[in-house]
Amino acid sequence: MNFRLDRFILVFSVAVPGVALGETPPEADSERRQLEEEVVVTGSRVPRKDLTSPGPVIVYNRDEIAASGVASLGDFLRLTPWQGGALNNNFDGAADGSTQVSLRNLGARHTLVLVDGQRWVNGGIGAGSGFSPGVDLNTIPIAAIDRIEILKDGASAVYGSDAIAGVVNIITRRRMNGAEIEPYSGISSHGDGLQVQVNGTGGLSGDRGGFLVSLGYFHQSSVLTADRSWAQRQVTYDFASGRVDPSGSTAVPAGTARVDPAKCPTQLCQALNAAYPGAGPTVWIADGNPAMGVPVVIDALTGQKWRKFIASGPANDLANPNSSEGMTYHITSTDRFSLFTNGDYRLTDFARARMQASWVHIESRSQTAPEPLFTAFEGAPIDPTNPYNPFAVQITTATRRLDEFGPRAAEPDSNTVHATAGLDGTVENTSWSLSLQYGRTSTNTLESNSLDTSKAAQALGPAFQDQNGVWHCGTPAAPIAGCTPANLFGAGSVTPEMAQSLGAFSGTAYGWSQLAAVDAELTRELFTVAADRPAGIALGYQFRRESGGFQPNAIANLGHSFDFAGQPLSGSFRVHEAYLELLLPLVSNVPLADDVEVQSVGRLSDYSSYGTNFTYMVGGRWRPIRGLTLRGTWSTAFRAPAIDELYSGQVNTIERATDPCASIPDTNPALRAQCAAGPGGAAAVNNRDTSNTFASTTGGNPALQPETATTATVGAVIEPPQLRGLSLTADFYRVRLDDVVTRGLGAPLIIAGCYPASTNSNVAPDPKDCSLITRDPATGTIQKFLDVQQNAGSVITSGIDVVLRTALATPAGRFRFWVDGNYLIKSDVILPSGKVLHSAGNYDLSVFNSSLGVTPRLRFNTGVDYGLGPFNAGVAARYIGGFDECAPQGGSTRFGRGLCSDGLPYPVHHVASYTAFDVYASYVLRSSLGTTSFSAGMRNAFDASPPALYSSFLTYADPSYDFVGRFVWGRIVQKF
């Protein structure tokens, strides 16, 4: 069977023009008619002799993947216009080495990834690790891939849970006679981001079967945020004035303390009170920089210089985590080793044995700025007796960037094994198959340079001086052995002994995910109605057991770490499923009904975690005349709660937000009333907390129910026989997802729900949101958010996909023009309160969930290719349309992230459109050694930078864009 749908290498780089099923160019018609073996198209389990289906499926073959110039499957899929927002190595130090795929911007959990039609085990660092477990595309060796089929439609009735936004089915290579070696390398024009890959593949095949084995190695070097001018500084944006100011963290290397100088007894307090009369509780910084334009006071006892902390404006004191000192990774570093085998052997005329095995070892490293210490979060106030407390009163709120610790780093070391064995065959008109499947990912993660919060309280707590003048932690009656009081004030003030006392530590976490499954299926031809092919039926049974767990490092296990938080988790669920599909061709070769077929599928699923549910799909395809096909589907879908969502323990983390009660405008009496009536009572009103990050607790919920969805598609395929080489497809889609499982609403939305007047909303405060906020009863400042998993709200998305192909063969060569595009009509989030976030054409979806990516109205990829004999070349472009981001209450991103759906009276910031161009050329040389292919190209040839996106979690851009810049690559493929 030959699936090569084009006779020459398609030439393009960023967005590859795959061939859509049902819209194959006419020059491929003869090749389709010659198919002698029935095939199973993604979206159906009934074999057929053509490559058409009611659902919109697009195929990318092996040549297209190679021509794209990328070295991994995840990078290839990330560049298509159907995908947005999945975890990748652009996540600014906050990545686990995984690359996932998310169709329709619905999140990776709503896209089902299959390999040869079967599920693949999750990758990453384990369920409950804090990252969303999902199939890591890096665990599927790219050298083993024959083609990729993407179904852009719900398919839970066909495949079960997760297939809500669509299905990515990766078809592997099965037969090969000979061997090939494929070295690849590339580097950015900035001299970093080096990639090196070497793959070797060999195989034998004969009449009774074949065997293929592939070995591979891949290396990716890191890129620092400091090495890209557009990312060197976190910034804030003032929507009213359009002014961009430096931003960052209130945890600075010099240290800060919030004290009322009128209420402390030292000479420093007196000097500060004189320099800043009537200051009240104020944040002070141990830094004497006169350029900040405020009075500088010298502590007469220590000689240390102090002044007021400047938290905003064009010149401020915020720490910049993206600086060269921060050593934050822009792109994570990775080394990957892989082994893949495929084989089959015909035992008898009616039975064949098949097997597949894969092993992938991945070592990666993510790195971010040194540990920030917030005494209020850690519950570690600085005691008046601490020798380095210059105010001689308890300091509840102090901060320090612990540069002396070094950058925080996570180094996952993972192994993924996957094996499938089975039997299949055909008896008369009935085909049968039986398979067993096992997969497991195990990851040890070295976590470095974090803070043990329990020790911090000791190092900053009571202290005393012994008879030799040596300071110790504790009291003379209760000394703390091995503890040296820590000095948080002044850059470089933390000695190695103090760092150990504060709790600097490194530890190892272990996580795993496991999949075991049994599949049995029968397919059979039935009867013929009035069509030229018979009806077909498929029925089957599947059993699957998924399990996973996570063991955090010893300190995090005790709840004493904000960075590598986690609790032990071990959970599993079992599912029994039965399905039935009927494919019914109705009419063929009659006027206005050249071909008509209907498809229906039903699936019953029984989960040990929540119970049973039934999903179905109906679809149809009508070709009234040659060259025009109309098609459509309607289906229900679901996603069962994952192990980490069900069984994760509570973990501590940090979220960005601003307390609207900290400084209430006199013009907003409603907000004053809500703050006084809410958590903390009157103490919350004007509490003067300038923090922009807060402690948050997240965790699982065993009472979660499955998410449910309805999906619909309607489309047309135009292939005029008179215009050979032209193919145009347009498909409308609509997905409604209900009972969405959230990792938590997020601090900004919890605040907006409890204090709606902060967004000028007239709705009443939501008691449920208010119950998720804990404040200090004395100071009124926010101590923690409870942001746990829950079924909450709905998501609706709709749009139109367009695929255009034109091909022209001339004596001067082969020309091809192509477009893959998506127009987003609707992207709505319906919150539990009933409020609707309309996020099509703005950034509201990512404000709701930062991992869902950008949602411009228009995204497309286009290119022109040329081929002549063994030479091919082309140019391509990837376009991401512009969209709006909107102001929060206060009019600046320093107060948090705003929602355009709130309609606040501030000008919007229009995020500019983005276009990246790519060039590529290749030449094939045949010799006595075999066939040698040389190819080279540039991705992002004009070094386009991502547009400024100030509401992003990163505060400068979104990971949906290219963070590397111009990248030059080359590849050689030698076939023997």
Side-chain angles (χ1 to χ4, degrees), residues 241-539:
S241 65
R243 191 179 76 188
V244 178
D245 290 333
S247 179
S249 171
T250 55
V252 298
T256 70
R258 185 174 182 265
V259 174
D260 185 345
K263 297 182 179 179
C264 59
T266 64
Q267 293 182 11
L268 174 61
C269 297
Q270 298 170 9
L272 288 172
N273 200 36
Y276 300 87
T282 300
V283 178
W284 311 100
I285 182 172
D287 175 87
N289 184 2
M292 301 307 292
V294 295
V296 175
V297 171
I298 299 177
D299 186 346
L301 293 179
T302 64
Q304 195 169 54
K305 297 178 180 180
W306 288 81
R307 58 176 173 80
K308 182 179 179 180
F309 181 82
I310 309 300
S312 62
N316 60 55
D317 291 312
L318 297 173
N320 178 21
N322 295 356
S323 66
S324 57
E325 292 81 7
M327 298 297 288
T328 297
Y329 279 0
H330 211 34
I331 303 292
T332 56
S333 63
T334 301
D335 285 279
R336 186 164 62 243
F337 306 84
S338 64
L339 169 65
F340 178 87
T341 62
N342 239 341
D344 64 271
Y345 185 77
R346 182 162 54 86
L347 301 172
T348 67
D349 291 340
F350 57 85
R352 178 186 66 158
R354 50 187 170 83
M355 60 79 63
Q356 182 182 95
S358 174
W359 168 80
V360 177
H361 175 75
I362 302 176
E363 301 172 6
S364 61
R365 177 182 173 91
S366 63
Q367 181 173 294
T368 191
E371 177 78 31
L373 188 155
F374 300 90
T375 59
F377 295 167
E378 274 87 3
I382 302 178
D383 194 80
T385 62
N386 182 291
Y388 306 108
N389 181 344
F391 301 99
V393 294
Q394 180 167 290
I395 304 173
T396 302
T397 304
T399 71
R400 177 64 147 77
R401 177 70 58 174
L402 298 171
D403 284 358
E404 295 87 349
F405 281 26
R408 289 166 288 168
E411 300 177 74
D413 188 313
S414 69
N415 288 283
T416 298
V417 295
H418 200 97
T420 302
L423 297 170
D424 58 37
T426 301
V427 179
E428 295 183 351
N429 292 326
T430 301
S431 298
W432 59 275
S433 67
L434 175 67
S435 66
L436 305 175
Q437 182 183 7
Y438 173 82
R440 183 181 175 95
T441 297
S442 303
T443 305
N444 288 290
T445 304
L446 176 63
E447 300 165 335
S448 306
N449 303 328
S450 188
L451 178 71
D452 181 344
T453 57
S454 66
K455 289 189 176 181
Q458 297 176 351
L460 300 174
F464 69 95
Q465 196 173 26
D466 65 18
Q467 59 186 4
N468 297 318
V470 179
W471 284 93
H472 302 276
C473 303
T475 65
I480 300 174
C483 179
T484 300
N487 180 8
L488 297 188
F489 304 122
S493 63
V494 177
T495 66
E497 294 78 15
M498 293 179 184
Q500 290 302 312
S501 297
L502 281 169
F505 79 91
S506 296
T508 300
Y510 173 73
W512 55 278
S513 296
Q514 185 169 294
L515 167 70
V518 178
D519 291 83
E521 182 177 272
L522 291 174
T523 63
R524 180 178 175 82
E525 292 182 353
L526 298 176
F527 49 84
T528 300
V529 183
D532 57 5
R533 61 192 189 280
I537 190 172
L539 65 156

Side-chain angles (χ1 to χ4, degrees), residues 44-120:
S44 173
R45 292 183 177 273
V46 178
R48 58 176 73 214
K49 293 183 182 295
D50 55 24
L51 298 178
T52 59
S53 69
V57 180
I58 190 165
V59 178
Y60 299 105
N61 62 31
R62 179 172 176 76
D63 289 338
E64 293 171 314
I65 299 170
S68 69
V70 300
S72 70
L73 174 61
D75 286 342
F76 177 84
L77 292 174
R78 182 171 61 89
L79 302 174
T80 62
W82 339 112
Q83 199 278 151
L87 181 68
N88 58 58
N89 62 358
N90 278 359
F91 269 85
D92 191 31
D96 67 351
S98 298
T99 299
Q100 299 174 356
V101 60
S102 166
L103 299 177
R104 308 295 189 210
N105 286 91
L106 290 179
R109 292 187 191 262
H110 302 97
T111 298
L112 177 61
V113 177
L114 306 174
V115 176
D116 294 323
Q118 295 187 312
R119 290 176 180 263
W120 196 259

Side-chain angles (χ1 to χ4, degrees), residues 237 239 838-847 853-857 881-887 898-901 906-913 948-952 961:
Y237 180 77
F239 286 82
H838 302 287
S839 62
N842 61 52
Y843 200 57
D844 283 10
L845 185 66
S846 279
V847 173
V854 299
T855 50
R857 291 284 187 181
F883 53 91
D884 294 334
E885 59 174 330
C886 296
L899 296 167
C900 295
S901 301
Y906 296 97
V908 302
H909 172 246
H910 184 72
V911 179
S913 61
L949 210 174
Y950 303 112
S951 298
S952 167
Y961 298 94

Side-chain angles (χ1 to χ4, degrees), residues 565-831:
Q567 288 190 347
L569 179 153
S570 181
S572 65
F573 63 80
R574 300 176 306 280
V575 55
H576 297 267
E577 297 183 288
Y579 59 87
L580 176 67
E581 177 181 353
L582 176 66
L583 182 64
L584 184 61
L586 296 176
V587 180
S588 297
N589 305 316
V590 301
L592 297 181
D594 187 63
D595 188 19
V596 180
E597 73 172 30
V598 294
Q599 177 189 8
S600 62
V601 191
R603 174 179 288 257
L604 181 65
S605 303
D606 180 40
Y607 276 78
S608 61
S609 53
Y610 68 85
T612 63
N613 68 287
F614 177 76
T615 54
Y616 66 89
M617 187 273 281
V618 292
R621 189 172 58 87
W622 172 35
R623 189 169 67 198
I625 59 174
R626 290 280 179 177
L628 174 62
T629 301
L630 304 178
R631 62 190 182 186
T633 63
W634 172 270
S635 65
T636 60
F638 76 102
R639 185 183 75 83
I643 290 169
D644 61 304
E645 294 170 329
L646 292 167
Y647 306 120
S648 287
Q650 291 187 345
V651 297
N652 297 320
T653 185
I654 292 176
E655 296 189 47
R656 292 178 63 90
T658 301
D659 184 359
C661 300
S663 180
I664 304 171
D666 293 336
T667 57
N668 198 341
L671 178 59
R672 177 183 293 270
Q674 290 172 3
C675 291
V685 176
N686 291 326
N687 61 70
R688 297 193 181 188
D689 188 358
T690 60
S691 300
N692 57 12
T693 52
F694 295 94
S696 178
T697 298
T698 64
N701 180 0
L704 287 173
Q705 294 298 301
E707 300 175 341
T708 59
T710 55
T711 64
T713 66
V714 177
V717 181
I718 302 173
E719 298 175 329
Q722 301 86 351
L723 299 174
R724 293 185 58 82
L726 173 64
S727 173
L728 174 63
T729 291
D731 287 286
F732 168 82
Y733 64 89
R734 184 184 187 274
V735 181
R736 179 182 175 111
L737 177 63
D738 293 312
D739 298 320
V740 177
V741 176
T742 69
R743 295 182 64 183
L745 294 175
L749 290 178
I750 292 174
I751 288 173
C754 185
Y755 309 107
S758 66
T759 61
N760 290 337
S761 173
N762 294 323
V763 303
D766 187 341
K768 182 179 178 180
D769 286 329
C770 291
S771 70
L772 304 178
I773 301 173
T774 301
R775 291 184 179 271
D776 186 304
T779 65
T781 57
I782 294 176
Q783 290 182 316
K784 182 176 287 188
F785 291 93
L786 182 62
D787 205 6
V788 295
Q789 308 268 9
Q790 55 186 305
N791 290 102
S794 303
V795 176
I796 302 173
T797 185
S798 64
I800 298 174
D801 292 333
V802 175
V803 177
L804 172 66
R805 302 287 182 267
T806 63
L808 179 64
T810 72
R814 303 176 299 271
F815 295 88
R816 184 180 179 95
F817 172 72
W818 54 270
V819 177
D820 287 350
N822 171 263
Y823 181 79
L824 184 64
I825 298 173
K826 178 182 286 188
S827 179
D828 288 354
V829 178
I830 304 174
L831 301 179

